[in-house]
Amino acid sequence: MLGFNKFLDWFSEIADHWDTKGVKFTLYTTIAVVIGGLFELIPPFFLTKTVTPISTVKPYSALELAGRDTYQKEGCIGCHTQMVRPFKWEVDRFDPTKAYGRTGYSKGGEYVYDHPFLWGSKRTGPDLAHESQMLRSDEWHKNHLINPRTVGGVPNSIMPAYPWLFEESHKVDVEQVVSNMKALKAIGVPYTEEDFANAPSLLKDKTEGEALVAYLQKLGKDSAELQKGMK
Amino acid sequence: MATEKTQYDDFIVKGFIISALVWGVASMTFGVIIAFQLVYPQLNFELPWTSFGRLRPLHTNAAIFGFALSVIFATAYHTVQRLCRTRMWNDTLSKIHLALYNLTIVLAAITLPLGYSQSKEYAELEWPIDLLIVVWYVIFFANYLMTVIKRKEEQMYVAIWFYIASFVTVPLLFIVNNIVIPAGFLKSYSVYAGVFDANIQWWYGHNAVAFVLTTPFLGLMYYYLPKHIKQPIYSHRLSIIHFWSLIFIYIWAGPHHLLYSPIPEWLQTTGMVFSIMLWMPSWGGMLNGFLTLTQAKDKIKVDATLKMMLAAVTFYGMSTFEGPLLSIRAVSALGHNTDWIIGHVHSGTLGWVGFMSAAALYYLVPRLWNANLYSEKLANAHFWLGTLGILLYIISMWVSGITEGSMWRAVGENGELVYKDWVEIVEFLKPFRLFRAIGGTLYLTGIVLMVYNFIKTIQNKDSGFVEQDLRIGVKS
């Protein structure tokens, strides 16, 4: 312990000089902070193995993207996670049909087109990463969103009701969605000119609620298909 | 010759104190509302701008960036002038900072309930508001650093170190995490995707805890605690050691939010190891605070401000013990995503940040407005309501979180989930969540008492402030 004490003495003595030099002090502080930051942020970008692309995972369609925007807008992330951890109890709960087999936890490759990621940090409601595999109908989702506590929904749910999402006044803004897709293309999501051209017909007369349902039905679908194909 | 009074710019300190009071009450009111919404969903009123998903970011943003930051700026302006024995470098810049800062919070309070959100926790604000933040931040930081540079006191006291560390790190985190591609005036997407976005977000998210909710408040403790009791800090050497190790280690801890996620294994392990190491510098700060406080221990009974400091340091020690514990993989497996985390965060925010802020405000308001505190009894009531509120809050969240985590993982003999029905678990947790909401209400009541106490104090302004002497053996 004597060596450590000497080290502390030495360090506090030199550090004592720094606090008479404002600029130098600020510089050293910044360096101390930057080291950890760089170490954590930079390497993952160069490690290709970090995210193995999953061939079947496709970018969100115009309607699904509009639904994802709605998901963000309503703050669904506050109560729902989108990341299944590699535990039996989580896999069993969030993939009861065993569409993924035993490895039904979340993989990095499932999220390659997620700007931003929506894993969330609080699971007040169930995880939604593989919601499509719960095999609920669009109609169920619609009723559940309009009022989670009605017949067919979940009587004791504490989820807020979202009746406005299906109102006429909440039609999807087609132009906005197309410009959203173009912005995403600029940062690497492989949308094509054809996707932009098809968007208006996909979105025609759709409400934000219908888009949200489409998004929920897309979650986990692509990677589940890959699993099924491998069987 | 300039007198002590005209030497320093106190207008700016008062401005930020009032901001803190306004945003403090607002953020905690929203906190209480959303806590009740989690028990009684009818309170969402089926309206877009009153639903939980939109109010929750409003609560966190108002609390962290409205309340805590206001306190940080008020105390930064107050301490830097005194510790450097010089007036702020430029008063106009200070005023612009105050105005633009409050404009930002107002814009946040409008856009978040309207659903404009980047969906990254504590970085929800859309890009035009982010740019506005950068503008006033640069204004503030230039002003602060110039004041430090032209100081008349050679030695920079430890409080300044903590403020500087916070002020250089926050923009770094904020800018890197908020790089987005705009897709419209109030719509943007993070340029990072999936796993990378998660990694950067939690590097930011955890360090918002570190460099907004911890280091500035340690700086504040290092100034107001010794000032209030008129005794020096216990150990200068401990200050040096725990400062440098704290700022060096904290920044590595982010990945403990992503244990068992698809981010690289080595990154998760690094995050976990550094989180555990963080326990030592955190307790270094706590012990320095505690040991300083013991120099006035016989006055704790009579002085509400001192009580709050003691409780704040205790909650700091407690939540910085709980943090490393929760970052251990096995504990995270149980606690992650549950109410336990909410409880952990609130023992830090309500206990450490909230009480330390209140203590600083109780110190500042009578001095700045030159009037004795209207009622020491009300301050005492605030302390007890707050403490009871925090305890109700964190204990109910511990019970709820651990229950929740255990019910999720309960597997029967045949390997099937015991609680398949999610709502069954939600039902079971309702009473605990109700207690949490009640705890929050008590805490809010305490804050309202404090504001009332300050309004009454300010009404007596310039009636003359008489300082209490809290040193051991000095009769008060």
Side-chain angles (χ1 to χ4, degrees):
Chain A
M1 281 314 280
L2 200 69
F4 187 62
N5 265 332
K6 271 198 179 139
F7 170 75
L8 292 185
D9 281 337
W10 167 80
F11 182 77
S12 40
E13 204 165 296
I14 56 164
D16 237 345
H17 291 301
W18 299 341
D19 61 37
T20 58
K21 306 268 180 289
V23 178
K24 218 182 216 180
F25 177 89
T26 310
L27 190 71
Y28 290 160
T29 306
T30 314
I31 292 170
V33 171
V34 165
I35 293 172
L38 291 183
F39 187 83
E40 277 192 1
L41 298 189
I42 293 179
F45 279 99
F46 296 105
L47 297 175
T48 48
K49 277 187 180 162
T50 303
V51 181
T52 318
I54 296 176
S55 56
T56 51
V57 173
K58 291 181 279 294
Y60 299 99
S61 75
L63 186 63
E64 289 157 359
L65 183 68
R68 196 170 199 268
D69 291 336
T70 306
Y71 186 94
Q72 285 184 248
K73 184 175 182 180
E74 299 303 339
C76 306
I77 195 174
C79 288
H80 293 281
T81 55
Q82 288 190 21
M83 199 268 286
V84 180
R85 296 182 295 168
F87 300 127
K88 176 183 158 49
W89 73 81
E90 293 211 353
V91 173
D92 282 2
R93 186 181 298 279
F94 302 120
D95 175 28
T97 58
K98 303 272 189 292
Y100 293 85
R102 292 173 62 83
T103 61
Y105 54 87
S106 295
K107 324 283 192 303
E110 295 179 53
Y111 303 99
V112 288
Y113 302 124
D114 283 10
H115 296 268
F117 82 117
L118 294 175
W119 294 357
S121 61
K122 180 68 181 74
R123 201 178 267 163
T124 306
D127 189 277
L128 300 176
H130 298 153
E131 180 60 24
S132 64
Q133 300 310 307
M134 306 303 278
L135 308 177
R136 293 177 174 122
S137 66
D138 289 1
E139 200 56 28
W140 184 91
H141 275 296
K142 183 180 175 180
N143 289 333
H144 179 252
L145 284 165
I146 289 175
N147 188 346
R149 283 159 293 282
T150 49
V151 190
V154 188
N156 293 322
S157 168
I158 54 170
M159 188 171 118
Y162 294 93
W164 65 88
L165 287 179
F166 295 89
E167 283 165 12
E168 282 294 302
S169 53
H170 280 73
K171 284 262 152 58
V172 171
D173 179 348
V174 179
E175 262 175 61
Q176 178 68 52
V177 176
V178 173
S179 90
N180 290 350
M181 290 169 82
K182 286 182 176 160
L184 286 168
K185 185 184 162 73
I187 49 174
V189 180
Y191 284 122
T192 60
E193 288 302 321
E194 209 187 330
D195 291 326
F196 302 140
N198 290 338
S201 64
L202 265 175
L203 299 169
K204 195 168 179 292
D205 288 329
K206 296 285 188 195
T207 59
E208 288 180 343
E210 287 165 309
L212 181 57
V213 172
Y215 172 66
L216 293 170
Q217 297 288 28
K218 148 95 173 177
L219 288 172
K221 196 173 116 201
D222 295 348
S223 41
E225 262 163 28
L226 177 76
Q227 289 289 334
K228 285 174 195 158
M230 277 162 47
K231 269 173 204 163
Chain B
M1 235 189 86
T3 62
E4 184 82 352
K5 257 194 168 165
T6 52
Q7 194 185 344
Y8 302 133
D9 177 15
D10 285 338
F11 170 83
I12 190 68
V13 185
K14 289 179 183 173
F16 275 107
I17 288 176
I18 291 166
S19 311
L21 298 178
V22 172
W23 300 121
V25 172
S27 66
M28 291 175 213
T29 306
F30 282 111
V32 169
I33 293 171
I34 62 175
F36 277 107
Q37 283 180 339
L38 286 175
V39 188
Y40 306 108
Q42 298 77 9
L43 294 173
N44 287 285
F45 301 115
E46 305 203 357
L47 291 170
W49 47 87
T50 52
S51 71
F52 179 89
R54 294 194 187 183
L55 292 187
R56 195 255 182 190
L58 181 59
H59 163 62
T60 51
N61 278 278
I64 302 171
F65 304 114
F67 175 67
L69 259 194
S70 291
V71 172
I72 292 166
F73 289 137
T75 56
Y77 278 114
H78 183 253
T79 56
V80 77
Q81 300 185 80
R82 278 141 184 99
L83 290 171
C84 294
R85 288 186 207 285
T86 182
R87 198 182 173 92
M88 287 309 295
W89 180 58
N90 186 320
D91 290 358
T92 317
L93 290 184
S94 309
K95 287 195 186 94
I96 296 173
H97 171 212
L98 176 67
L100 289 182
Y101 164 82
N102 277 290
L103 175 67
T104 309
I105 309 290
V106 170
L107 290 175
I110 295 168
T111 56
L112 290 173
L114 289 178
Y116 298 104
S117 165
Q118 292 183 162
S119 284
K120 291 177 72 157
E121 281 178 78
Y122 325 121
E124 284 95 349
L125 299 175
E126 272 296 352
W127 64 274
I129 305 177
D130 287 345
L131 289 179
L132 181 62
I133 292 172
V134 173
V135 170
W136 60 248
Y137 200 91
V138 170
I139 291 173
F140 160 72
F141 189 58
N143 198 7
Y144 190 89
L145 209 58
M146 285 308 292
T147 310
V148 171
I149 288 172
K150 68 158 194 154
R151 70 189 182 279
K152 299 203 178 81
E153 178 73 45
E154 197 201 0
Q155 201 84 13
M156 292 193 302
Y157 180 66
V158 44
I160 293 190
W161 314 345
F162 279 98
Y163 281 108
I164 290 180
S166 316
F167 297 151
V168 298
T169 314
V170 169
L172 192 76
L173 299 161
F174 182 81
I175 291 169
V176 173
N177 189 44
N178 271 303
I179 296 179
V180 293
I181 178 130
F185 178 55
L186 284 170
K187 178 71 194 169
S188 63
Y189 294 105
S190 173
V191 296
Y192 319 107
V195 174
F196 306 118
D197 196 41
N199 186 34
I200 288 173
Q201 160 62 25
W202 284 114
W203 168 77
Y204 163 86
H206 189 74
N207 289 299
V209 175
F211 291 91
V212 179
L213 300 176
T214 304
T215 49
F217 288 90
L218 282 168
L220 180 162
M221 174 187 91
Y222 272 112
Y223 180 84
Y224 293 104
L225 175 56
K227 268 287 188 190
H228 186 59
I229 63 174
K230 293 190 189 336
Q231 295 283 340
I233 201 78
Y234 175 76
S235 164
H236 178 65
R237 208 178 92 153
L238 184 56
S239 312
I240 295 177
I241 306 283
H242 104 87
F243 170 79
W244 287 101
S245 46
L246 189 76
I247 64 161
F248 180 74
I249 295 175
Y250 230 131
I251 205 98
W252 299 72
H256 73 220
H257 290 254
L258 298 168
L259 296 175
Y260 296 107
S261 81
I263 70 162
E265 196 75 20
W266 63 266
L267 206 57
Q268 299 183 28
T269 307
T270 312
M272 177 177 113
V273 168
F274 274 85
S275 304
I276 295 166
M277 279 160 60
L278 201 47
W279 179 47
M280 283 187 280
S282 303
W283 273 32
M286 175 198 71
L287 285 174
N288 221 358
F290 258 140
L291 293 167
T292 308
L293 247 167
T294 55
Q295 300 176 100
K297 59 176 184 288
D298 60 338
K299 296 290 169 29
I300 286 170
K301 279 183 215 150
V302 294
D303 186 67
T305 310
L306 210 53
K307 272 186 209 163
M308 283 195 178
M309 287 176 170
L310 177 68
V313 174
T314 311
F315 281 113
Y316 177 62
M318 212 171 76
S319 56
T320 55
F321 176 74
E322 199 180 17
L325 179 73
L326 278 164
S327 71
I328 296 170
R329 269 204 173 83
V331 185
S332 170
L334 175 70
H336 189 56
N337 291 333
T338 70
D339 281 342
W340 188 357
I341 308 299
I342 316 293
H344 164 60
V345 171
H346 283 82
S347 84
T349 48
L350 298 176
W352 163 241
V353 174
F355 269 3
M356 213 61 219
S357 301
L361 294 171
Y362 279 118
Y363 176 93
L364 284 168
V365 169
R367 283 169 176 82
L368 290 180
W369 275 276
N370 190 25
N372 286 324
L373 187 67
Y374 169 71
S375 164
E376 186 69 28
K377 267 195 185 139
L378 275 181
N380 202 39
H382 171 196
F383 169 78
W384 286 109
L385 276 173
T387 307
L388 188 64
I390 298 170
L391 290 177
L392 260 186
Y393 194 116
I394 61 179
I395 292 169
S396 59
M397 287 291 96
W398 280 336
V399 178
S400 175
I402 293 170
T403 307
E404 196 177 10
S406 311
M407 289 174 95
W408 289 348
R409 62 159 69 182
V411 175
E413 274 174 35
N414 53 1
E416 297 258 307
L417 295 171
V418 177
Y419 303 98
K420 271 193 205 134
D421 184 7
W422 189 271
V423 167
E424 193 184 340
I425 304 175
V426 172
E427 274 291 292
F428 198 81
L429 302 175
K430 268 187 183 171
F432 308 121
R433 289 180 173 156
L434 182 61
F435 271 111
R436 177 257 300 267
I438 295 167
T441 310
L442 291 179
Y443 193 87
L444 174 65
T445 314
I447 293 285
V448 171
L449 286 187
M450 176 180 81
V451 174
Y452 173 77
N453 208 348
F454 286 163
I455 291 171
K456 285 290 186 184
T457 308
I458 292 171
Q459 279 172 352
N460 284 335
K461 67 170 189 284
D462 294 325
S463 60
F465 168 71
V466 184
E467 200 163 2
Q468 299 284 313
D469 199 323
L470 297 168
R471 281 173 295 182
I472 290 179
V474 178
K475 290 216 174 93
S476 50

